[in-house]
Amino acid sequence: MEKAFHYYMPVKILFDYGVSQKMASYIAGENVLIISDPFLYQNGVAQRIGESLIGKTVGYFSDIEPNPSCESVDAAAAAARALKADCVIGLGGGSSMDVAKIVACLTRDEGSIYDYYSGGTKTFSERKTMLICVPTTAGTGSEVTNVGVFTNKKAGIKMPLVTDRFWADYAVIDPELTYSLPPAVTASTGMDAFCHAIEAYWNKESQPMCDMLAMGAMQLILRFIKRAYDDPNDLEARGAMIKASMIAGVAFSQTRTTGIHALSFPLTTEYHASHGTACSITLPAFIRLCREGAAEKLQALSAYLGYADAGALADAVEALMESMGMPTRLGQLGVREENLEHITKVGLGAAIIQLTPAVMNEQTVYALLKGIL
């Protein structure tokens, strides 16, 4: 008997080459705040999009750091309130889009992010400000999820915030925005998307629609990521990668992620690894670990992707990462054996780790980490 499942995806998705220059007709209201990282502002990408919004008053906020802090959120919210923004556009990777999600809520709701996040007592009212997410990397999938991840520097923790208020009105997927991605970013964001897909697939809360999406996304990534890495001007590969990232995002938006992402949090906040690197570094080990708990599914996935079994898939993924210069050992991030107990405890503190189809406790997680030290 098939198990029951729930699927909800309210985001309108626009996919086309150059579509980011055609957003004006979709925007209700007059005042638009574009949130991006400093690089996208300095290189003119944010301004080009702003200039395409004929008839709109456009403001910019570009002080977004990787793994965005609560302080960045509050500063961006102040800018949105000052502009009286009717629409917030998150332009960039997951950091910019996650900040845009909560700023679209805080434009009308009072207070700080701390009032709503990590122990806060307030809840968001119905969001009145339009939210548009425009990814410039092929990895995060944040444009089609209702999750934002923020760093509470006061507490020294990085945690997700999940609310239906974070679903974007539009996800604008323009492959042209990824053409300038350097190879290292292409690799790390692409492997992050692979993690999203496989975690949605083996998740204890998995469901058939997400399984099909996740399998297709993984197939696209394995086919095209090295091409995009080797030749940044391969337009077919660029289009395939940002499409795969979005599809993987839809898949994990319904299931959440698992142990890979749980263990990535301390690796980003304490060892300053990029999010994609922090996730993918444990990916081959998790594939091997989950062979028993999700044996049938992983065998089916391996066959679909062209491998004899999950062990062969794990070996291939590890070799792919190495071919793109990505670290596959924690020691390459500066982690030492005496740090493993702490990383284990932090990872186990994230509830999503228990969605992994394997026993997740201090012994098993520590052993996994030590095996890739």
Side-chain angles (χ1 to χ4, degrees), residues 191-236:
M191 291 310 299
D192 183 27
F194 190 92
C195 291
H196 292 155
I198 201 166
E199 288 180 276
Y201 179 79
W202 68 36
N203 198 296
K204 288 181 180 178
E205 300 294 329
S206 67
Q207 49 154 290
M209 289 188 69
C210 294
D211 286 354
M212 298 298 108
L213 292 166
M215 292 172 72
M218 283 184 272
Q219 186 181 64
L220 280 173
I221 292 165
L222 291 182
R223 179 180 173 189
F224 287 104
I225 188 171
K226 191 62 163 57
R227 278 178 51 178
Y229 175 86
D230 288 337
D231 181 6
N233 297 313
D234 186 330
L235 306 190
E236 182 185 14

Side-chain angles (χ1 to χ4, degrees), residues 191 222 284 287-288 307 310-323:
M191 291 310 299
L222 291 182
I287 294 174
R288 296 180 181 109
Y307 298 98
L313 173 60
D315 291 344
V317 167
E318 190 166 350
L320 174 64
M321 291 168 58
E322 290 173 344
S323 76

Side-chain angles (χ1 to χ4, degrees), residues 304-350:
Y304 176 77
L305 296 176
Y307 298 98
D309 52 33
L313 173 60
D315 291 344
V317 167
E318 190 166 350
L320 174 64
M321 291 168 58
E322 290 173 344
S323 76
M324 296 186 294
M326 298 186 70
T328 57
R329 293 291 178 269
L330 293 172
Q332 294 171 271
L333 303 182
V335 177
R336 296 157 69 162
E337 187 167 356
E338 55 265 33
N339 307 133
L340 298 184
E341 184 176 350
H342 170 71
I343 295 171
T344 297
K345 288 182 177 178
V346 174
L348 286 170

